[in-house]
Amino acid sequence: SSTAKFFVGGNWKCNGSVASVCKLVDELNAGTIPRGVDVVVAPPFIYIDYVMQHLDRDKYQLSAQNAWIGANGAFTGEVSAEQLTDFGVPWVILGHSERRSLCGESNEVVAKKTSHALAAGLGVIACIGETLDQRNSGSMFKILDAQMDALVAEVKDWTKVVLAYEPVWAIGTGVVASPEQAQEVHAYLRQYCAKKLGTAVADKLRIIYGGSVSDTNCKDLSKQEDIDGFLVGGASLKGATFVTICNAAG
Ligand code: G3P
């Protein structure tokens, strides 16, 4: 199991408007976050400036949802890890299943993005997970291994990585992994890391769960030995609900 601080990320995805972001920031500011929990919110790029200026950053840190694979240059429509650090954004989510499936990001691309972002000084929430077909056909561990192998080949320093296990079948579906299903994979991933990176790294690595996390299922999930936090999508768009999830541990 991990010895690290509980970590909760709110991935707003491509949601929100000026009005709704303003409201959500107010709701979050009204919430109480325990001292021992890292909470990171990831707005769409265009709202990061507003959120940075108005969100209580004693309680919440900021993340982007993606970054370019390399440094600044002629890459129309992209934002680099260097620009995120320059702007004061400390985290980035990389390898989310939506980017893997909708934008064609391979294991290798995600791994290269991760090492580039780490080198630029960001913390990385690196996402992995299997589809339902892969789980049902018995190839889940093989798929997870391939996703992890690519990361392990590129990432030398894991201290600023948070690993997010997000089974694709649980994302946005309302079908949450059971605490046992999630724990099985989290324990597997920690063992994998112990084998490839050593037990010191594996013990400190935060492995968080994502996929239909809600204010009603978060408590049971958080009791599992190898679940060190959550990556929350839909439920992170409601301030009070998200704050409840941030208070799930302890
Ligand atoms: O990154 C978090 C996400 O993919 C989970 O989404 O809506 O199922 O909580 P959701």
Side-chain angles (χ1 to χ4, degrees), residues 21-196:
V21 165
C22 178
K23 181 165 172 271
L24 181 50
V25 164
D26 288 346
E27 289 167 1
L28 291 172
N29 286 341
T32 303
I33 303 296
R35 275 274 155 230
V37 181
D38 282 328
V39 184
V40 171
V41 298
F45 282 124
I46 196 162
Y47 301 119
I48 286 180
D49 185 25
Y50 177 89
V51 175
M52 188 178 271
Q53 288 181 50
H54 295 91
L55 192 63
D56 182 348
R57 288 196 286 143
D58 285 341
K59 296 187 240 180
Y60 304 99
Q61 304 173 62
L62 273 162
S63 175
Q65 300 173 16
N66 179 37
W68 178 238
I69 195 165
N72 299 0
F75 309 110
T76 303
E78 294 291 340
V79 174
S80 70
E82 286 77 0
Q83 289 169 327
L84 291 170
T85 19
D86 174 57
F87 204 68
V89 176
W91 290 94
V92 64
I93 298 170
L94 293 172
H96 191 280
S97 84
E98 285 145 20
R99 295 208 57 88
R100 290 175 184 266
S101 67
L102 304 172
C103 308
E105 293 190 8
S106 65
N107 290 343
E108 289 65 36
V109 165
V110 172
K112 288 212 160 69
K113 282 187 168 197
T114 301
S115 64
H116 184 81
L118 291 168
L122 294 172
V124 175
I125 303 163
C127 306
I128 61 167
E130 83 290 352
T131 65
L132 191 58
D133 275 359
Q134 290 161 346
R135 174 173 276 258
N136 289 342
S137 67
S139 58
M140 174 173 83
F141 292 115
K142 204 181 80 202
I143 294 294
L144 294 170
D145 281 355
Q147 293 171 336
M148 289 302 298
D149 288 348
L151 285 171
V152 166
E154 290 289 337
V155 176
K156 299 295 159 242
D157 182 0
W158 283 73
T159 46
K160 291 180 79 177
V161 178
V162 170
L163 187 62
Y165 169 58
E166 298 209 315
V168 179
W169 47 272
I171 296 175
T173 58
V175 183
V176 65
S178 68
E180 295 72 26
Q181 283 174 321
Q183 167 60 26
E184 180 193 21
V185 174
H186 283 230
Y188 175 81
L189 293 171
R190 202 176 306 282
Q191 258 167 34
Y192 171 103
C193 291
K195 207 166 60 198
K196 302 271 175 153

Side-chain angles (χ1 to χ4, degrees), residues 204-233:
K204 280 198 209 89
L205 179 68
R206 284 171 298 180
I207 308 177
I208 65 175
Y209 168 80
S212 296
V213 173
S214 72
D215 51 352
T216 53
N217 60 34
C218 59
K219 196 98 203 154
D220 282 347
L221 286 163
S222 75
K223 288 185 191 133
Q224 296 300 314
E225 185 165 359
D226 290 292
I227 297 184
D228 306 311
F230 302 116
L231 188 55
V232 186

